[in-house]
Amino acid sequence: ATGKPVVSDLITGVLSGKPTIILAYPVRDPADRVVGAVGIGLNLARLQTLFSSIPLPEGSVVTLTDAQSRVLARSREAERYIGTVVQSTPSPIRDVPATQTLAGVDGIRRFFGNAIVDRGPWLLSVGIPTSVAAARIAPLWRRNLAIALSAIAAIMIVSLWFAHLLSGGLGRLRSSVRQIADGDLSPPSKSKVPNLELAQLQDGFITMAANLREAHQALDHQIEQERRMRETLQSLQRQVVRQERLAAVGVLVSGVAHELNNPLQAILGTVELLERDNGLRPEVREEIAFIKTQSGRAREIIRNLSRFSSQQTGPPALVDLRDVVAEVVQLRQRDLDASSIVLEVDVSALRKVYANFTEVEQVTLNFVINAQQSIEATGRNRGRILIKLFDVGKKVRLEVHDDGPGVTPEDEPKLFQPFFTTKPVGKGTGLGLSVSYGIIESYGGSIGHRGNDWGGATFFFELPIIDPASVPPAPSSSGTSTDDPAPVLQRSISPRI
């Protein structure tokens, strides 16, 4: 009547006597009117052969049930169970869950997978025995358990390794902190760390240690400077006292030289008068000549002392450095002979320089005195000093060589610094070479030091030569004479320092 296909309930076939389901289909004429029906009977027992061809595990079963939960077809023992009600109170087919576990009509518990066939509607269920499912799942479960345990073990090993790295990095930082706390500010070594945070912490700590080290060094430097300033101040105070004493000695030396000069002039005048007497015996004349020679020598020594002790050095003029060398030799010869030091002179320079005689003499005398004291410091019985004077291009060079111990590399940069001396207390002021440096530089020359083949030191200076025609006229000498007494070391504290 509806014009749609119809499925009958489970019946017993009239001819076959077997459980059957009739499928009725309408027959229509060309005008689409239902003029009849075609019924197809399905022998449900024969469906067993269709279901049995499905590959399933042992003990599995395929069941087709209707809305009343009656078995319509079954893959196992179909004749026995077709028509059997599975559930006494069946649920609507569409409410049956897709999977469930329950006991079948044969009493065996199975895992069922359910699907709805809309044509019936029917419920198609495929059941696998729980024991078979468990046997199939057991290897998978064991494999998954092994994988899980392996993963857990790997995670624990990685965690322990990471914890070890983290602990090692923190331990090194802790050691560095303890090292700094103990006063050791040497730079910590940078090592590998397991993560970015520890790397940043390590970099920050190394920077902090470097800043602490720099601050400590700055404080040490400041303290050292303050200590040197105190020592320099104390040295200056001692030098002032010493300079005052030496200035008084200079005044005394100048005065004594002036007083000795008058008797010497009288002695020389008398000797010259005696020489005019033609009746003197030859041996007497020899004695008179000896007296005249020694008196002249004494006069030259007094003149040099007066000139060197003068505070007013006078203006620059043309100076023959050969005369400077001769006066220095005359001043130091006796003292050098007393110390068994041989003084040699090698003079080949012919040109003159524009300078102040007394200042250049002071520089040369400083070189010779330093050489003598250097040789005496070795404790040897004999020594050797060589004064060389020669022309070098447009300059005249004076060198003083000695065979003393020389200058150590540590002391070379400080040779010409004020108040630097390697001599014991009372032997040097530390001003001689610094004053000499200022004097030579003021005349456009150069001064320096080097070692020599004797194993000692060589101090030298060079002064430019000058054309005599370009020398300015000397100022009037109406001022104070350079022979006036004055403190001998006043010149040593010249503003040129």
Side-chain angles (χ1 to χ4, degrees):
T2 61
K4 295 181 180 180
V6 177
V7 179
S8 70
D9 292 331
L10 178 64
I11 61 174
T12 301
V14 176
L15 300 177
S16 64
K18 301 291 184 179
T20 305
I21 292 177
I22 303 299
L23 300 178
Y25 295 93
V27 177
R28 299 178 183 275
D29 61 8
D32 199 26
R33 290 176 298 184
V34 177
V35 296
V38 176
I40 300 174
L42 295 179
N43 187 352
L44 297 178
R46 299 294 299 273
L47 290 178
Q48 179 179 0
T49 59
L50 176 64
F51 290 158
S52 62
S53 63
I54 299 175
L56 292 173
E58 182 68 24
S60 299
V61 63
V62 180
T63 305
L64 183 67
T65 58
D66 61 7
Q68 285 76 34
S69 192
R70 289 178 300 182
V71 177
L72 300 179
R74 198 168 186 271
S75 63
R76 296 170 63 88
E77 300 176 312
E79 294 82 357
R80 180 179 178 182
Y81 293 109
I82 290 176
T84 304
V85 177
V86 178
Q87 293 181 354
S88 58
T89 56
S91 301
I93 288 179
R94 298 192 181 279
D95 294 338
V96 176
T99 59
Q100 58 185 345
T101 302
L102 48 82
V105 293
D106 55 1
I108 300 175
R109 292 186 62 82
R110 292 182 176 88
F111 292 107
F112 283 95
N114 302 315
I116 298 174
V117 180
D118 292 331
R119 178 63 57 88
W122 299 322
L123 181 65
L124 181 64
S125 301
V126 178
I128 299 175
T130 56
S131 58
V132 175
R136 294 291 183 91
I137 292 175
L140 296 177
W141 184 86
R142 287 193 295 270
R143 184 191 67 182
N144 293 340
L145 179 61
I147 292 174
L149 291 177
S150 300
I152 293 173
I155 291 173
M156 291 183 64
I157 292 173
V158 171
S159 300
L160 289 175
W161 176 73
F162 184 77
H164 174 71
L165 291 180
L166 186 64
S167 176
L170 291 175
R172 286 188 290 271
L173 286 177
R174 184 168 56 251
S175 300
S176 300
V177 171
R178 188 179 299 111
Q179 172 184 334
I180 292 178
D182 293 338
D184 184 3
L185 297 180
S186 57
S189 58
K190 189 172 183 179
S191 58
K192 293 183 178 180
V193 291
N195 54 33
L196 179 61
E197 289 76 10
L198 274 181
Q200 293 174 345
L201 179 61
Q202 184 182 57
D203 293 340
F205 182 78
I206 292 175
T207 302
M208 180 193 70
N211 293 335
L212 284 176
R213 186 169 58 256
E214 292 176 358
H216 188 271
Q217 291 175 351
L219 286 175
D220 288 345
H221 181 66
Q222 183 177 358
I223 292 173
E224 180 65 18
Q225 282 186 329
E226 292 178 355
R227 184 186 65 80
R228 290 181 180 178
M229 289 178 62
R230 287 195 300 271
E231 292 179 353
T232 302
L233 180 60
Q234 293 172 357
S235 176
L236 285 172
Q237 291 173 345
R238 291 193 297 267
Q239 294 301 327
V240 168
V241 175
R242 180 177 175 84
Q243 293 296 336
E244 291 178 353
R245 293 177 181 175
L246 293 179
V249 173
V251 173
L252 178 61
V253 169
S254 180
V256 170
H258 181 73
E259 293 299 328
L260 288 177
N261 191 52
N262 291 332
L264 280 175
Q265 292 296 336
I267 292 172
L268 284 172
T270 303
V271 168
E272 290 177 356
L273 289 175
L274 289 175
E275 278 185 326
R276 295 178 184 179
D277 187 355
N278 296 326
L280 295 176
R281 296 191 301 275
E283 60 272 16
V284 175
R285 286 188 177 277
E286 290 179 1
E287 295 295 334
I288 290 175
F290 179 74
I291 293 172
K292 184 177 180 182
T293 301
Q294 295 302 318
S295 298
R297 184 169 177 269
R299 182 181 62 185
E300 291 300 322
I301 292 174
I302 291 171
R303 181 182 301 168
N304 291 339
L305 287 174
S306 298
R307 178 185 297 170
F308 189 73
S309 64
S310 175
Q311 181 180 7
Q312 298 180 358
T313 58
L318 281 176
V319 176
D320 191 338
L321 293 183
R322 291 176 295 181
D323 297 336
V324 173
V325 173
E327 290 205 6
V328 170
V329 171
Q330 194 171 30
L331 285 172
R332 301 303 303 170
Q333 185 68 62
R334 184 177 297 276
D335 198 17
L336 292 172
D337 291 341
S339 300
S340 299
I341 297 175
V342 177
L343 177 61
E344 303 175 5
V345 178
D346 181 4
V347 175
S348 60
L350 301 177
R351 293 175 290 184
K352 297 181 179 182
V353 298
Y354 187 67
N356 180 271
F357 188 97
T358 304
E359 290 183 334
V360 177
E361 182 185 26
Q362 180 179 353
V363 175
T364 308
L365 191 61
N366 281 337
F367 285 177
V368 175
I369 292 175
N370 287 344
Q372 178 183 350
Q373 292 177 343
S374 175
I375 294 172
E376 292 174 346
T378 62
R380 300 201 313 263
N381 294 328
R382 299 185 62 83
R384 181 183 178 189
I385 296 176
L386 171 63
I387 302 177
K388 292 185 67 175
L389 181 66
F390 53 95
D391 295 330
V392 181
K394 295 184 178 181
K395 294 183 178 181
V396 179
R397 183 182 179 97
L398 186 144
E399 296 180 349
V400 176
H401 304 253
D402 67 70
D403 60 351
V407 180
T408 62
E410 294 80 9
D411 293 337
E412 284 186 3
K414 300 178 285 186
L415 282 176
F416 297 96
Q417 294 180 4
F419 305 108
F420 171 75
T421 179
T422 59
K423 302 170 187 174
V425 178
K427 287 289 186 178
T429 64
L431 292 172
L433 289 179
S434 62
V435 171
S436 300
Y437 182 89
I439 291 173
I440 298 302
E441 288 288 323
S442 67
Y443 294 121
S446 59
I447 186 171
H449 156 271
R450 61 178 175 83
N452 57 38
D453 297 336
W454 300 348
T458 297
F459 285 85
F460 62 88
F461 68 81
E462 292 181 351
L463 289 174
I465 63 173
I466 191 168
D467 185 4
S470 63
V471 177
S476 174
S477 60
S478 60
T480 305
S481 170
T482 58
D483 290 335
D484 290 342
V488 67
L489 288 183
Q490 290 271 347
R491 190 65 189 84
S492 297
I493 53 175
S494 166
R496 290 193 180 93
I497 295 178

